Amino acid sequence: MSQTTTTAALRREPRVAPGAPADRAIKRRRVLDILDAAGRDSLLLTTTTALSWYLDGSRVHISLAGDPIAALLVDRDGDHLVTFNNEAARIAAEELPAGVNLHTVPWYGDLHQAAAAVGSSTAPPLAEADAAVQLRAARQQLLPAESARYSHLGAELAGIMTDVLSAARPDTTEFELASALAGRVVAAGAEPLVLLCNGSSRSTFRHPLATHSPLGRRAMAVACARRDGLIANITRWIRFDAGTPEERDAEARIAAVEADIFDATVPGARLDRIFAGIQAAYVRHGFGADQWEQHHQGGPAGYAGRDPRATSAATDTVILNQAFTWNPSGPGVKIEDTVQLTASGLQVLTVDPRWPVATVNGLDRPVTLQL
């Protein structure tokens, strides 16, 4: 069967809830441990990040910019998902993991109030905000099925980047490039949460929303795509000439900054100490001491774009099987991939073997694609 036929066949299959029962059982145990430590009987989950993690990839949104259309009460007797009456049929058919009880409220009802009332306990539930640190820790270590889903998404997103950017030309506009990326991401069953693009006329912007400007001689594209709750992040560069010596030097130096960050991303390391190392790495590799202030540096990844961003105030500890997206940048340069820390070292998830690479400190890293 050809790849085209296989893909078409997969697309004809009805969607089912993506969760793996073994992974979900571990997640429930982690939440019950949070309840035990807090001396509480139930926890109310209300954010997209927490819901999509606990439900193991269920889609709980309509608008990407809106609040979830569901809330979930975890209590000692079970899991209770409350959604609006106009969402219930789809949720039940396509998003509801086995063993989760479904409840409805009118479309004009109060999800949080209704969810807080469905459990067996008479005490009010622990609010998600009051367990934010513990829930973030519970999300850190990716489980086998979600690790496999993440790896698959990362490879697909990297392949999409290769296909779309390889077809670009100097007169391609930023909007045209971004729209091509968006179309491919959606066709892959994912949601494009972030799409950035700058051509050579706008290369000073670190968060370049696309415009009608042509790419010119050099361009950057950034994509953050979510599927089954997991978010993969990637940045790639192309150019239509050999580049200047200054550009090539800066590209090599920003890759060296990233290599230092990767070296520091080991089990037991604290994010604030990694962040201090990032600040020093910019200076060590010839960038200004203020470069870390010009853009965030990334951090743990997974069910949030960064979970959390690394700062001097973030004291989370790195563990095995955790995912990260670090994104050091300088004037006109940036490097970014989604990786997972495994027992055998960092595994790059957003990788396409067709993209050109250079070996940096023993790891293949993307370089600018010359067209």
Side-chain angles (χ1 to χ4, degrees):
M1 182 180 288
S2 70
Q3 179 63 42
T4 300
T5 304
T6 301
T7 301
L10 288 173
R11 288 174 180 166
R12 286 196 297 269
E13 294 179 1
R15 177 179 169 86
V16 296
D23 284 8
R24 285 215 64 249
I26 294 172
K27 292 178 180 183
R28 177 167 168 80
R29 181 66 260 169
R30 290 177 182 176
V31 171
L32 291 178
D33 288 343
I34 293 172
L35 292 178
D36 289 343
R40 304 292 287 273
D41 290 323
S42 61
L43 171 65
L44 182 61
L45 301 180
T46 56
T47 68
T48 298
T49 296
L51 288 163
S52 58
W53 166 73
Y54 189 73
L55 295 171
D56 213 22
S58 297
R59 297 178 297 181
V60 292
H61 70 279
I62 296 299
S63 167
L64 291 177
D67 294 331
I69 47 80
L72 187 139
L73 187 81
V74 182
D75 72 7
R76 298 188 183 279
D77 293 332
D79 298 329
H80 302 270
L81 186 70
V82 178
T83 190
F84 297 116
N85 63 311
N86 57 314
E87 308 291 351
R90 178 184 60 83
I91 291 288
E94 300 176 343
E95 310 294 341
L96 191 69
V100 177
N101 301 292
L102 185 63
H103 309 262
T104 65
V105 295
W107 61 264
Y108 51 84
D110 188 316
L111 281 176
H112 298 180
Q113 184 179 66
V118 296
S120 58
S121 175
T122 57
L126 180 65
E128 181 183 327
D130 293 332
V133 173
Q134 295 86 346
L135 284 167
R136 192 166 69 234
R139 292 191 295 267
Q140 281 183 291
Q141 186 176 63
L142 297 179
L143 296 165
E146 60 190 348
S147 293
R149 293 198 301 269
Y150 213 1
S151 181
H152 189 200
L153 171 61
E156 278 199 77
L157 183 59
I160 288 168
M161 273 286 201
T162 300
D163 290 344
V164 172
L165 294 183
S166 296
R169 297 294 177 263
D171 60 350
T172 301
T173 69
E174 295 166 350
F175 271 137
E176 288 171 339
L177 190 69
S179 65
L181 288 171
R184 287 291 303 274
V185 167
V186 173
E191 297 133 12
L193 301 185
V194 177
L195 290 173
L196 305 176
C197 181
N198 63 17
S200 54
S201 68
R202 303 174 65 241
S203 61
T204 59
F205 301 134
R206 311 245 178 153
H207 271 167
L209 294 174
T211 72
H212 289 293
S213 298
L215 299 183
R217 55 172 291 271
R218 183 171 180 259
M220 176 186 77
V222 179
C224 304
R226 181 176 64 193
R227 187 169 66 196
D228 298 333
L230 292 160
I231 302 169
N233 314 284
I234 185 174
T235 294
R236 293 292 184 264
W237 289 83
I238 57 173
R239 62 176 162 233
F240 300 95
D241 58 22
T244 68
E246 293 78 14
E247 287 169 353
R248 295 193 298 273
D249 175 65
E251 290 164 359
R253 287 187 290 113
I254 204 65
V257 172
E258 182 196 53
D260 288 353
I261 303 172
F262 283 166
D263 280 347
T265 307
V266 295
R270 276 185 14 179
L271 291 184
D272 56 345
R273 293 169 184 166
I274 295 175
F275 185 71
I278 293 172
Q279 294 171 304
Y282 277 109
V283 176
R284 184 163 52 250
H285 296 292
F287 293 97
D290 67 338
Q291 282 306 303
W292 68 271
E293 298 186 72
Q294 308 307 311
H295 191 280
H296 78 83
Q297 303 303 307
Y303 290 90
R306 302 296 187 276
D307 198 17
R309 289 181 181 178
T311 67
S312 59
T315 58
D316 302 51
T317 300
V318 173
I319 64 173
L320 278 179
N321 294 321
Q322 188 174 7
F324 296 86
T325 300
W326 299 108
N327 47 262
S329 64
V333 290
K334 179 187 175 189
I335 189 166
E336 177 183 28
D337 272 306
T338 302
V339 304
Q340 187 174 15
L341 180 61
T342 70
S344 56
L346 282 173
Q347 175 187 354
V348 182
L349 303 184
T350 44
V351 63
D352 178 2
R354 298 173 297 166
W355 193 271
V357 298
T359 301
V360 183
N361 200 19
L363 191 65
D364 285 345
R365 301 304 300 125
V367 297
T368 299
L369 174 64
Q370 293 189 201
L371 297 171

